[in-house]
Amino acid sequence: MFRVSNNLVGILNIITFLISIPIIGGGIWLSKQADTECEKFLEKPVIALGVFVMLISLAGLIGSCCRVTWLLWVYLLVMFLLIVLIFCFTVFAFVVTNKGAGQALSDRGYKEYRLGDYSHWLTKRVNNHWSRIQSCLQDSKICKTLIDDGVGSTTKVEDFYKKHLSALQSGCCKPSNDCNFTYVSPTSWNKTSTSSLGNPDCNLWSNDPNVLCYSCESCKAGLLDNIKSDWKRVAVLNIIFLVFLIIVYSVGCCAFRNNRRDNSYKRYP
């Protein structure tokens, strides 16, 4: 009689196999449609993920339904390694995102961000790849809304200070509050004799919409704040995914035991 655990493993792997098809399709679509370096960077990992999920699903499906014990053993080994890897990443994600937060300013609707407030490990990785990241940020047009507001701007400085800017907009699209620049428009600020240049970002600021503060440390800090928030969400999802994987792994172990028992019956009738 066909065992329940084998059925469950088969059904779960049919579902994951079907999920892998749009993942691979999405990666192929990205490779055809990508116009920027950021989009091109994503295509290979997406396709690799889809192929990995498809192969593992096939191994689990064939191993459980066709009673191929060695294939099911490979499936369980990969599942075990995946569980360990995700567990380690989840713990690591909580550790490296435990540090850093935006600094609230009085009479401002937005926060400001300092690079030194964030994890040294994350900061080092961002610094090492900043040229590519900077190009991606410029292509993503995160400052477009503020630039558009600045064209024939009627936005008063008081209204701008009340804006709720994202971490990236605050760090990359305007000068630091420390600079004491004179406001002209959301993305146009003038230096004056009273401007402070103690913050190195003040010298890097430009009213050129293609430059702005994309080279500033505050821009890197804004990105790190985004990464911190995203990684925390991913870590929470990973906990849910881990529980699911452990359940699938346990059912797979039952199916593996069934396969070995059936093979022993055939060997010794």
Side-chain angles (χ1 to χ4, degrees):
M1 187 178 73
F2 211 64
R3 309 298 171 86
V4 174
S5 55
N6 293 69
N7 274 328
L8 281 174
V9 173
I11 291 168
L12 288 170
N13 282 286
I14 288 173
I15 294 170
T16 53
F17 177 82
L18 293 174
I19 290 172
S20 71
I21 295 172
I23 293 175
I24 295 173
I28 295 171
W29 180 83
L30 271 177
S31 68
K32 302 291 184 184
Q33 300 293 323
D35 295 321
T36 66
E37 188 179 354
C38 304
E39 292 169 333
K40 290 175 183 176
F41 175 73
L42 286 173
E43 67 189 52
K44 290 180 181 177
V46 170
I47 292 174
L49 175 63
V51 171
F52 173 76
V53 172
M54 179 176 282
L55 291 176
I56 294 303
S57 300
L58 284 173
L61 182 62
I62 296 170
S64 61
C65 295
C66 301
R67 307 299 180 92
V68 183
T69 305
W70 71 268
L71 205 53
L72 193 55
W73 183 86
V74 171
Y75 171 77
L76 290 173
L77 176 63
V78 173
M79 288 288 287
F80 175 77
L81 293 175
L82 192 61
I83 289 170
V84 172
L85 183 65
I86 292 175
F87 175 78
C88 292
F89 173 77
T90 302
V91 173
F92 176 74
F94 276 117
V95 170
V96 299
T97 59
N98 193 43
K99 184 182 177 185
Q103 298 178 354
L105 302 172
S106 60
D107 302 321
R108 300 288 189 274
Y110 50 81
K111 295 180 179 180
E112 291 211 331
Y113 303 86
R114 301 285 184 269
L115 194 59
D117 294 340
Y118 294 87
S119 158
H120 175 71
W121 185 88
L122 276 178
T123 301
K124 186 177 179 181
R125 296 302 174 279
V126 167
N127 280 329
N128 289 344
H129 300 283
W130 186 248
S131 58
R132 172 178 284 183
I133 295 170
Q134 183 177 337
S135 173
C136 292
L137 290 175
Q138 289 169 327
D139 289 338
S140 68
K141 303 186 187 305
I142 57 168
C143 300
K144 187 177 186 304
T145 304
L146 296 181
I147 292 171
D148 290 345
D149 285 348
V151 177
S153 178
T154 56
T155 305
K156 295 180 180 179
V157 63
E158 295 83 4
D159 296 329
F160 175 76
Y161 285 153
K162 294 175 184 176
K163 280 182 176 288
H164 296 282
L165 304 179
S166 68
L168 282 172
Q169 285 179 324
S170 176
C172 307
C173 308
K174 66 168 191 62
S176 170
N177 194 59
D178 297 341
C179 301
N180 293 322
F181 288 170
T182 302
Y183 173 89
V184 178
S185 73
T187 55
S188 181
W189 300 73
N190 291 336
K191 296 178 183 178
T192 66
S193 56
T194 59
S195 296
S196 170
L197 301 179
N199 186 331
D201 285 352
C202 300
N203 288 317
L204 296 173
W205 169 260
S206 170
N207 288 334
D208 183 341
N210 294 316
V211 179
L212 297 180
C213 216
Y214 287 118
S215 298
C216 299
E217 288 194 350
S218 62
C219 190
K220 297 175 184 178
L223 177 69
L224 284 171
D225 197 77
N226 268 18
I227 292 173
K228 174 186 171 182
S229 300
D230 291 343
W231 274 33
K232 281 198 170 181
R233 293 189 194 101
V234 169
V236 172
L237 290 174
N238 277 351
I239 294 172
I240 299 169
F241 188 48
L242 263 177
V243 173
F244 172 75
L245 281 181
I246 291 169
I247 293 170
V248 173
Y249 179 78
S250 301
V251 175
C253 288
C254 293
F256 179 73
R257 189 172 63 245
N258 291 341
N259 282 8
R260 292 191 64 181
R261 187 180 299 147
D262 290 345
N263 289 339
S264 65
Y265 287 156
K266 289 176 184 178
R267 196 174 303 159
Y268 305 107

